Amino acid sequence: MMTFLANLNTRMKLLLGLGLLVALMAVTSMLAWQDMERLRTAQKKLLDEQMAISYSLMELRAAFNRERAALATLGLAESGEQGRLHTVLSRESGEVARLLQALKDFAVNDADFSTRLNKMLDARNQFTTMRDSEVIPLLESGKRVEAGRLITGALDTRFAIFRELADDSNALQMKKAEQTMRNFEAVVSGTQSPLLLAIVAAIAIGVLMVYLLDRAIARPLHEATLVARRIAN
């Protein structure tokens, strides 16, 4: 290897050395680019999770509204409609439970949202406990007036608490998503263009150095060698 390098002429040695320098600058720049891409990917994943939480909260509120409507209708319906409305109530209650479980999965990596979700779960448990232990038994025993009072009174208060918590959580998630979007755009606009320019500039400077050093050193040496050979001959 050393013999090979020693046998190279001055021009080739310059080209090889500066070529390696240019390659090193290019590799360093590409590694920096890859780091930036990983950062962008991580921020996009965070944004997607925040938007998914917000969407799930909106779905949850809608499902809870449908559940409440089915329960209120159940208190007014005739006996022939009771079975169908119980089915609707059970379906919507299951949908609320499914969405809450999905939100629990999101909350694993978000301590702030986990705290707010726990408050929602407490409000939901109070609602379902009163519904299942007081309202449904009254309806099944035909005491629709008493059940109606609970539905429009104490149970509706618990529903309002849950709805307010869901709305507040959704508003906060939207603000967090907007902030993440702004951060994402800032990262892209603040690093992508300068990094690309730096890569191009580094390569251009390396090529220019090869050219200038070739003109300043290699060519004069080559010409001096030719002159020396002519004199020697």
Side-chain angles (χ1 to χ4, degrees):
M1 182 65 180
M2 295 302 296
T3 303
F4 170 75
L5 293 174
N7 291 333
L8 292 176
N9 58 38
T10 303
R11 173 176 292 178
M12 289 304 299
K13 289 177 181 177
L14 284 171
L15 290 173
L16 180 61
L18 292 174
L20 289 174
L21 178 61
V22 171
L24 180 61
M25 288 189 295
V27 170
T28 303
S29 299
M30 289 306 299
L31 290 175
W33 182 276
Q34 290 175 357
D35 287 340
M36 187 196 71
E37 285 297 314
R38 282 193 288 269
L39 177 61
R40 290 176 59 191
T41 300
Q43 285 209 316
K44 186 177 184 302
K45 181 181 178 182
L46 177 60
L47 176 62
D48 290 342
E49 288 180 355
Q50 289 170 345
M51 293 303 296
I53 291 174
S54 180
Y55 181 72
S56 295
L57 285 168
M58 288 187 288
E59 283 191 313
L60 176 64
R61 191 182 188 284
F64 202 12
N65 279 333
R66 293 193 300 269
E67 179 187 17
R68 175 174 172 268
L71 187 61
T73 306
L74 191 62
L76 301 174
E78 299 296 332
S79 57
E81 286 289 308
Q82 296 284 325
R84 182 185 67 82
L85 290 171
H86 271 292
T87 301
V88 173
L89 179 63
S90 178
R91 182 183 67 232
E92 298 302 339
S93 181
E95 179 66 5
V96 170
R98 182 190 69 80
L99 290 167
L100 285 171
Q101 182 57 52
L103 289 170
K104 285 181 184 179
D105 295 336
F106 284 121
V108 172
N109 299 318
D110 191 333
D112 178 56
F113 177 67
S114 178
T115 300
R116 287 183 276 117
L117 180 60
N118 286 333
K119 293 180 181 179
M120 291 170 57
L121 290 171
D122 288 341
R124 171 66 181 176
N125 288 335
Q126 292 178 23
F127 177 90
T128 55
T129 297
M130 177 172 285
R131 181 197 65 191
D132 296 340
S133 64
E134 298 182 48
V135 176
I136 296 299
L138 286 172
L139 289 172
E140 290 176 345
S141 63
K143 298 178 180 178
R144 291 190 297 174
V145 174
E146 292 86 344
R149 291 198 188 101
L150 281 177
I151 291 172
T152 58
L155 193 64
D156 194 60
T157 299
R158 285 160 174 75
F159 168 80
I161 293 172
F162 180 89
R163 180 180 58 194
E164 183 178 357
L165 288 169
D167 288 345
D168 289 346
S169 292
N170 188 34
L172 288 172
Q173 285 303 130
M174 290 301 295
K175 287 182 180 178
K176 289 173 67 175
E178 290 172 1
Q179 183 60 50
T180 300
M181 177 64 77
R182 286 193 291 269
N183 292 342
F184 177 73
E185 292 173 349
V187 167
V188 173
S189 62
T191 59
Q192 191 172 35
S193 296
L195 183 57
L196 183 59
L197 289 174
I199 292 173
V200 173
I203 294 174
I205 291 171
V207 172
L208 181 61
M209 288 176 63
V210 170
Y211 174 75
L212 292 176
L213 288 174
D214 177 65
R215 287 178 59 87
I217 299 175
R219 288 187 184 182
L221 284 176
H222 179 66
E223 292 172 358
T225 300
L226 292 177
V227 171
R229 286 177 181 174
R230 282 197 298 268
I231 293 174
N233 292 333

